Amino acid sequence: MTEPLGPDEERFRALADSAPVLIWMSDISMGGIYFNRAWLDFTGRPAEREAGEGWRESLHPEDLAPLEAAQAAFAVRQPFQVQFRLRRHDGIWRWMLNSGKPRFDPTGGFAGYTGSCVDITERFEAEEDARRQLRVMRTITDNAVEGMFLMDARGRVSFVNPAAERMFDWKSDELFGEILHDKLHYKRVDGSPFSIRECPLGRVFTNGETLNEHEDIFYRRDGTPVHVQCSIAPIRSNGRVDGAVLVVHDITYRKQAEEALRLSEDLFSAIFRQAIVGITEIDLTGRFLMINDRFCEIVGRPREEVLALRTQDITHADDVPNNMAMLERARATGEDYQLEKRYLHPDGTVVWVHNSVSVVRDSDGRPLHLVAVVRDITEQKRVEAEMMRANQDLQSALTEREVLVKEVHHRVKNNLQVVVSLLRLQASRLRDEVGSDALRESLNRVSAMSTIHELLYRSTTMADIDFAEVLRTLTANLHDAYGHNEDRVAMIVETDPVPVSMDAAVPLALIANELISNAFKHGFPDDAEGSVRVGLVRDGDTVVLTVSDTGPGFVPPKRSSSLGLMLVDRLVRQVSGELEMEPPPGTRYRLKFTLE
């Protein structure tokens, strides 16, 4: 010890050593000066090691805060009581309740503290376990989505969880001590008062009755109704009901969904009954399960008769195989389908219908039954048949017209060929070169028109003619007409397909005839060599025709002195085109026109 004990303290030690609790004494600096036998046996350490600050070695390192509280009391000479862990001689930590009181000498001077430590481990652990369970319960109630209430035997609120606060817009401290029924369940749906004596939930207090999954209407703080499903159970003690637990689940959204479903079913029922098309439900064998009035009108049979039949029983015999094949496919694959077929009235009348069939499946996707929307298309079929007959008659007339028009083109072509032959014969008899050239030019123009009629006669359509083919034929004919050898004057034709109408084909062919003729006639004097290039390019509705040669160039005479150029000018205006002559070398014409 740090200092000897007096006679009174010796007597105290003798008594303390026989006590079953741990007793200690400290000096004025809080250093230990005495530890009884129970303390020393507990720690397994000699008194010398416990003296002064030595006893702190047995103190748990995490329990310094309680020691600081004791030191604060020590500083003001006040009694204290703290809890900390003390290591037993076998290394086990035990919870101690340490109580200390100030000690004074006969003169009133402060002499230190005397205290005792009682082992409270079992009690502490029990309390800690209770606290842990309370924390778990608190976590459950705080995070539950259901509202929870605890009430005493008189129905007064003693606990409200956060979900209940949110559900009914009441704070827990506002409900504590209040009768819950008077706050949340005080009126009926019609607004009339609702006594707790009439409330089925109130029976838990009168006879301890448990009520599960009871649906009712509670009210929020502002009077808004809340559809709830609730369960209430009594809390019993010594056979008496001391209170009750109420768990409330907000089912407002479910009720709204149920009401929406009911309205939807009512709407469907009204639509089903009054629809202007037939609606049927059939099983996978074709038997009718449900039909509306319009379907009965379509098939000309009463409801009771139809519901005793299958769809194949009232289907035209020729349409049954296809009907059953589609039904089997829907049963096997679950695919929706559409079908046109004929129903038979009892009197043999045929009704054409269009069936749009949907497959209804179970939760696993397997077909359960079929729903068909049936539309009467008998009148449509009659009109289609009449239109088909009319189309056939029209097609026959068009065929006859095309044959006639082709024959006309063939005869016109033949007549033009006769004219060409006459002009060629007349030209051969003339000795005047100017007159002969004039006849040859006229011959070429007539030949160009003959080419148009020849191509129209061979064409599969009478509306348009491919002008590219006209240019290729026309260029080849003119090349031969002017007697040019291919080795001396090459002919190059590069064209896009350009369909033109009969009205545009003739003037365009005459324009091309004049321009190509000029190239062959004037482009290669004195047996010069070169080439004539004809191009046809289409960009949308715009077409560009180009004719060029590689000769020395050509200075056109005045329009008034050249029949060919006068003719070209008039024809260009006729097709609403633009003709440009590009500068040498060579002679290059560019005609731009638009397709109509």
Side-chain angles (χ1 to χ4, degrees), residues 128 140 237 249 324 455 512 538:
E128 182 61 26
I140 293 172
S237 176
H249 182 64
M324 298 309 296
L455 292 176
R538 178 178 179 177

Side-chain angles (χ1 to χ4, degrees), residues 237-482:
S237 176
N238 298 323
R240 295 188 313 170
V241 176
D242 281 347
V245 177
L246 175 65
V247 179
V248 182
H249 182 64
D250 187 346
I251 59 170
T252 302
Y253 292 128
R254 194 193 80 188
K255 285 293 185 180
Q256 291 173 347
E258 290 175 352
E259 178 63 15
L261 178 61
R262 186 190 64 78
L263 293 175
S264 177
E265 290 174 344
D266 291 346
L267 178 61
F268 170 77
S269 179
I271 293 173
F272 182 82
R273 292 192 309 272
Q274 303 172 22
I276 62 173
V277 294
I279 303 176
T280 71
E281 181 183 0
I282 62 175
D283 66 16
L284 298 179
T285 68
R287 184 169 299 280
F288 291 103
L289 303 175
M290 184 169 62
I291 56 176
N292 71 342
D293 295 341
R294 176 56 181 151
F295 183 76
C296 294
E297 294 174 5
I298 290 174
V299 299
R301 299 172 188 267
R303 180 184 305 274
E304 295 73 16
E305 179 183 345
V306 176
L307 291 176
L309 299 172
R310 298 170 300 172
T311 181
Q312 54 267 37
D313 296 332
I314 58 175
T315 299
H316 193 285
D318 293 344
D319 297 337
V320 169
N322 187 39
N323 190 153
M324 298 309 296
M326 299 297 284
L327 189 64
E328 178 59 31
R329 190 184 75 173
R331 180 166 50 200
T333 65
E335 293 182 6
D336 301 342
Y337 65 90
Q338 295 190 10
L339 174 69
E340 287 188 2
K341 66 174 186 176
R342 289 163 288 181
Y343 280 132
L344 290 174
H345 281 202
D347 61 1
T349 304
V350 173
V351 180
W352 274 98
V353 297
H354 177 276
N355 278 9
S356 181
V357 184
S358 299
V359 180
V360 179
R361 302 168 180 81
D362 63 15
S363 58
D364 296 324
R366 292 187 296 267
L368 285 176
H369 52 266
L370 309 176
V371 173
V373 175
V374 183
R375 184 163 52 88
D376 186 346
I377 59 171
T378 304
E379 179 64 18
Q380 175 184 326
K381 284 291 184 180
R382 185 190 64 78
V383 173
E384 288 177 356
E386 291 181 356
M387 290 181 64
M388 185 174 295
R389 287 194 296 271
N391 285 337
Q392 290 173 346
D393 294 343
L394 180 60
Q395 186 63 42
S396 298
L398 288 174
T399 302
E400 292 177 4
R401 177 181 175 278
E402 287 183 1
V403 171
L404 178 61
V405 171
K406 284 191 174 186
E407 181 63 24
V408 169
H409 282 302
H410 183 59
R411 290 178 181 273
V412 170
K413 186 265 300 183
N414 288 342
N415 291 337
L416 290 175
Q417 287 296 103
V418 170
V419 174
V420 168
S421 297
L422 291 173
L423 289 174
R424 184 177 290 115
L425 180 62
Q426 184 66 44
S428 66
R429 298 176 63 86
L430 288 176
R431 297 292 178 264
D432 181 6
E433 186 175 350
V434 174
S436 179
D437 287 345
L439 282 177
R440 186 178 296 108
E441 290 175 358
S442 296
L443 185 152
N444 289 339
R445 292 168 187 143
V446 174
S447 180
M449 290 187 289
S450 175
T451 297
I452 296 294
H453 288 283
E454 172 66 17
L455 292 176
L456 282 170
Y457 171 70
R458 296 204 308 262
S459 174
T460 58
T461 174
M462 304 303 296
D464 296 319
I465 185 171
D466 185 2
F467 195 65
E469 186 176 359
V470 174
L471 284 179
R472 287 191 292 268
T473 303
L474 191 61
T475 304
N477 291 343
L478 290 173
H479 187 271
D480 294 340
Y482 282 96

Side-chain angles (χ1 to χ4, degrees), residues 40-77:
L40 300 177
D41 289 342
F42 180 87
T43 61
R45 292 157 53 95
E48 292 77 10
R49 289 194 62 183
E50 299 293 286
E53 300 294 325
W55 66 274
R56 291 174 180 258
E57 297 174 2
S58 298
L59 188 66
H60 195 286
E62 296 178 3
D63 294 342
L64 297 179
L67 191 60
E68 292 174 356
Q71 289 174 331
F74 196 93
V76 294
R77 311 296 190 255

Side-chain angles (χ1 to χ4, degrees), residues 145-158:
V145 295
E146 292 84 5
M148 296 182 180
F149 299 92
L150 287 182
M151 294 170 283
D152 63 16
R154 296 177 59 187
R156 294 176 301 191
V157 177
S158 59

